[in-house]
């Protein structure tokens, strides 16, 4: 499959076969991601990291992935440090950064920003999260983690809990899970339910979807519990945030109802939705999931910059 020079804007742009090919390549990258082996096929290439919203994992794992493969990184982590603060448009900013590097990784507060950037960049653009829109590279590492932990994704009962309205990770992930034949249970308070158009789309694609606000009701059926943070920064009204903050909290007493091999995932950062006592249980896979960002992003960079045939 040929990913060379391709934009990574939405997970919807990929077939199951393409996703599986990327996951297979990611598996091969693990010893390099861990520093056990070295390989510098992207020596001399430059990655441009533009992060106009806070990030720890996505920004640093892209940077780490690039360094592990021998590429250099130029980066900006605040919009106020660019000429956007003087009134330059995103389109012109992208044209400039495009001239200075071989691929652009963009995180932006506005939905659709990555698609717009891809229009103005000759080199490939990778969407690292666009507002409440999507986060396709997070989805790839989520799928990689599920496949590594459970052997296969087909037929898994996956419970998504938390902020399903504004959560770009669950928007991208739920879409990808439909092509893997997973069953979805969506757990959220009334105010943070998955948007209707996404639920309709999931059902149209033949995905069994159950919706509830009670995690206790469904936890015993879950193969994967995917927890998300209720995102204070996305609420237009802080009093609305306070009504739902802390509504779901996974702790060891709740996990007593779960299957022994049920895994708990979270894109992170977490605030109080997973108690620290869960970290040392066999269920906890969220730190492993965050590490998986490196091999998966190495695979992606190899595929789009290195022209690796996969
Ligand atoms: N999962 C994720 O996107 O984390 P960051 O916001 O820290 O990049």
């Amino acid at each position: 499959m040929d990913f060379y020079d391709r934009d990574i804007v939405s997970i919807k742009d990929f077939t199951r076969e393409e996703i599986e090919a990327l996951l297979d390549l990611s598996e091969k990258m693990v010893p390099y991601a861990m520093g056990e082996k070295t390989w510098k096929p992207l020596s001399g290439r430059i990655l441009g990291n533009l992060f106009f919203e806070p990030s720890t994992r996505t920004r640093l794992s892209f940077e780490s992935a690039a360094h592990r493969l021998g590429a250099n990184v130029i980066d900006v982590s605040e919009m106020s440090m660019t000429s956007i603060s003087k009134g330059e448009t995103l389109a012109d900013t992208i044209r400039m950064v495009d001239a200075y590097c071989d691929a652009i990784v963009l995180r932006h507060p506005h939905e659709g920003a990555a698609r717009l950037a891809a229009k103005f960049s000759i080199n490939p653009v990778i969407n690292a999260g666009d507002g409440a829109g999507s986060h396709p590279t997070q989805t790839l590492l989520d799928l990689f983690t599920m496949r590594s932990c459970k052997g296969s994704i087909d037929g898994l009962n996956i419970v998504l809990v938390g902020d399903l309205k504004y959560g770009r990770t669950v928007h991208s992930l739920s879409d990808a899970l439909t092509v893997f034949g997973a069953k979805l249970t969506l757990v959220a308070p009334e105010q943070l339910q998955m948007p209707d158009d996404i639920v309709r789309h999931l059902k149209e694609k033949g995905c069994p979807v159950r919706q509830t606000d009670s995690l206790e009701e469904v936890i015993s059926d879950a193969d994967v519990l995917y927890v998300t943070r209720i995102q204070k920064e996305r609420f237009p009204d802080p009093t609305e945030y306070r009504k739902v903050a802390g509504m779901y909290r996974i702790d060891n007493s709740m996990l007593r109802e779960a299957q022994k091999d049920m895994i708990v995932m979270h894109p992170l950062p977490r605030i109080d939705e997973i108690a620290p006592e869960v970290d040392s249980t066999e269920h906890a896979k969220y730190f492993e999931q965050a590490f998986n960002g490196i091999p998966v992003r190495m695979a992606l960079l190899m595929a789009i910059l290195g022209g690796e045939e996969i």
Side-chain angles (χ1 to χ4, degrees):
M1 268 161 225
D2 191 6
F3 288 91
Y4 188 64
D5 222 18
R6 194 162 157 185
D7 298 311
I8 311 292
V9 173
S10 165
I11 201 73
K12 288 185 180 151
D13 301 337
F14 294 87
T15 64
R16 175 176 177 148
E17 289 69 31
E18 288 173 330
I19 293 172
E20 284 181 328
L22 282 169
L23 301 189
D24 291 345
L25 184 60
S26 305
E27 221 163 275
K28 293 184 194 150
M29 295 292 165
V30 171
Y32 302 98
M34 295 176 85
E36 291 171 359
K37 292 185 180 176
T38 52
W39 187 38
K40 307 287 181 189
L42 297 186
S43 173
R45 312 305 299 277
I46 299 175
L47 186 69
N49 260 357
L50 293 184
F51 278 72
F52 295 148
E53 263 194 344
S55 169
T56 297
R57 280 145 290 273
T58 313
R59 186 165 81 88
L60 294 180
S61 64
F62 262 114
E63 204 165 323
S64 178
H67 287 306
R68 292 285 192 204
L69 292 167
N72 293 308
V73 180
I74 55 172
D75 75 300
V76 176
S77 55
E78 273 185 51
M79 220 181 282
S80 62
M81 299 302 286
T82 71
S83 289
I84 290 178
S85 65
K86 303 175 204 161
E88 190 168 44
T89 60
L90 178 63
D92 279 359
T93 303
I94 291 295
R95 283 186 178 107
M96 292 301 98
V97 179
D98 184 35
Y100 304 148
C101 64
D102 301 303
I104 297 174
V105 179
L106 176 68
R107 172 166 290 189
H108 197 281
H110 296 149
E111 203 170 328
R115 186 73 70 194
L116 181 129
K119 223 170 95 180
F120 289 95
S121 176
I122 295 164
N123 287 308
V125 169
I126 302 173
N127 182 3
D130 59 334
S134 67
H135 196 349
T137 67
Q138 177 72 41
T139 297
L140 291 171
L141 74 91
D142 292 343
L143 296 172
F144 183 74
T145 305
M146 286 179 197
R147 198 177 79 162
S148 306
C149 293
K150 307 298 285 183
S152 159
I153 300 167
D154 286 274
L156 290 178
N157 270 316
I158 298 178
V159 175
L160 307 178
V161 60
D163 178 358
L164 307 187
K165 179 176 179 181
Y166 299 113
R168 58 192 171 206
T169 62
V170 284
H171 296 166
S172 290
L173 178 61
S174 57
D175 191 85
L177 286 170
T178 62
V179 303
F180 283 90
K183 291 169 243 169
L184 286 179
T185 302
L186 309 177
V187 183
E190 187 62 35
Q191 304 91 314
L192 295 177
Q193 296 271 338
M194 187 72 93
D196 286 344
D197 59 323
I198 297 185
V199 175
R200 206 167 34 249
H201 174 73
L202 298 174
K203 289 180 178 168
E204 278 165 11
K205 287 180 83 179
C207 179
V209 180
R210 178 164 56 149
Q211 288 181 279
T212 174
D213 62 3
S214 166
L215 182 56
E216 287 79 3
E217 219 174 71
V218 298
I219 194 166
S220 60
D221 291 338
D223 296 306
V224 177
L225 179 61
Y226 191 99
V227 187
T228 64
R229 176 174 65 95
I230 296 189
Q231 304 172 93
K232 189 177 182 179
E233 68 274 23
R234 305 262 182 245
F235 280 76
D237 178 357
T239 55
E240 288 302 308
Y241 168 73
R242 283 193 288 275
K243 283 185 198 162
V244 289
M247 186 158 172
Y248 301 108
R249 181 173 161 84
I250 318 302
D251 57 17
N252 284 349
S253 84
M254 179 172 269
L255 289 175
R256 275 198 282 277
E257 305 301 317
Q259 298 174 44
K260 267 179 84 100
D261 61 351
M262 189 269 285
I263 63 168
V264 179
M265 296 175 61
H266 191 309
L268 303 177
R270 71 169 155 183
I271 306 302
D272 52 8
E273 57 276 9
I274 301 179
E277 65 183 16
V278 176
D279 299 356
S280 54
T281 69
E282 287 293 308
H283 298 291
K285 299 296 176 201
Y286 29 91
F287 294 122
E288 184 179 325
Q289 178 187 357
F291 165 76
N292 288 337
I294 301 177
V296 167
R297 288 173 175 130
M298 286 175 78
L300 206 54
L301 293 178
M302 271 310 297
I304 68 171
L305 278 178
E308 180 87 339
E309 277 289 332
I310 57 177

